[in-house]
Amino acid sequence: FSLLNAGTAAKNFEDAGLLPRLVATLYVRAGQDAAHQYAVECGAFQVYNEQVADLLHPEHRNGKGQNLSVSKKDGHGQVDNLTWKPCASAKELLDHFAYARKNVIYAETKMNKASSRSHACFQLRVTRREKNSTKGSVSLCSVVDLAGSERVKRSGVAGKELKEAININGSLLALGNVVAALAAKKKHVPYRDSKLTRVLEGSVGGNCR
């Protein structure tokens, strides 16, 4: 199934996309855990032409939250100054993701009438604490909607779309190189070859699952 599929409009759990299934399961399991308190936040960004943009910035459509920097903290990459929205319910979280998805850049090509021109990443940050205690842990889950690789001759793109295709293919190649290096257990993993791999370092390497 797709990332959102029918989204919040899905009548049955079986009809829902990946994110609605993930979010529903998260809140059900958190509600069943009587020993802990949970706080859920969400963030979303896209990597477009090797620039990171905040998809949940309240003034995103006015050009704000663009060209954000990526840094490394606690062994994983993070987008600096990313907007994080607290989510008290599954519906509230999915509403934020639906808003973010509307800000993803698309364009028409010969191969696709609605071709994604960026890689979109939707993140869940979950803080779990023991009740009546300040001790806790933080987990991060990243769900990435990758733009498809593009054969320029077949898609017929030029100008701005050509630049987009080159950057899409370059970052997908970088991601493939990272996965190959991890699989081969190489000492050097080329995370820094693209913004996408830099920000996903903690999601594909280290103690990730």
Side-chain angles (χ1 to χ4, degrees):
F1 24 75
S2 63
L3 190 66
L4 282 175
N5 197 17
T8 55
K11 295 181 181 179
N12 302 309
F13 186 80
E14 292 77 12
D15 297 329
L18 176 61
L19 264 175
R21 285 169 173 259
L22 174 63
V23 170
T25 302
L26 169 64
Y27 279 89
V28 167
R29 292 193 177 183
Q32 294 172 341
D33 185 356
H36 297 89
Q37 293 178 322
Y38 290 81
V40 181
E41 302 168 282
C42 69
F45 61 89
Q46 67 179 355
V47 180
Y48 172 72
N49 285 344
E50 281 302 293
Q51 294 187 355
V52 180
D54 185 347
L55 295 175
L56 285 178
H57 194 286
E59 295 188 57
H60 173 87
R61 294 170 188 175
N62 294 324
K64 300 296 180 64
Q66 306 290 324
N67 199 19
L68 301 180
S69 59
V70 177
S71 62
K72 189 172 181 179
K73 182 179 180 181
D74 299 328
H76 64 83
Q78 67 173 19
V79 178
D80 297 327
N81 300 313
L82 186 67
T83 300
W84 288 94
K85 298 283 190 179
C87 304
S89 67
K91 182 183 183 303
E92 186 176 1
L93 196 158
L94 290 173
D95 285 346
H96 286 313
F97 282 149
Y99 172 83
R101 194 170 180 81
K102 291 179 181 179
N103 291 328
V104 175
I105 297 173
Y106 294 90
E108 183 176 349
T109 71
K110 289 182 179 180
M111 302 296 294
N112 193 338
K113 288 188 176 181
S115 173
S116 177
R117 312 312 291 168
S118 68
H119 306 298
C121 183
F122 305 89
Q123 293 188 316
L124 304 175
R125 187 165 64 189
V126 182
T127 303
R128 186 182 77 163
R129 291 188 175 90
E130 297 178 9
K131 288 189 174 180
N132 303 317
S133 173
T134 58
K135 295 181 179 180
S137 60
V138 180
S139 298
L140 182 70
C141 175
S142 298
V143 179
V144 185
D145 188 6
L146 294 172
S149 61
E150 195 166 305
R151 294 186 179 182
V152 174
K153 288 184 178 180
R154 295 184 64 184
S155 63
V157 294
K160 183 181 74 170
E161 286 76 22
L162 176 59
K163 180 181 179 182
E164 292 167 348
I166 291 171
N167 279 289
I168 288 170
N169 291 341
S171 56
L172 289 174
L173 176 62
L175 180 60
N177 290 339
V178 164
V179 172
L182 289 170
K185 297 183 179 180
K186 292 184 177 180
K187 291 183 178 180
H188 173 68
V189 180
Y191 291 113
R192 298 186 64 83
D193 284 358
S194 78
K195 290 285 181 67
L196 179 66
T197 50
R198 284 182 65 192
V199 79
L200 292 179
E201 180 176 351
S203 298
V204 296
N207 64 348
C208 73
R209 295 181 180 180

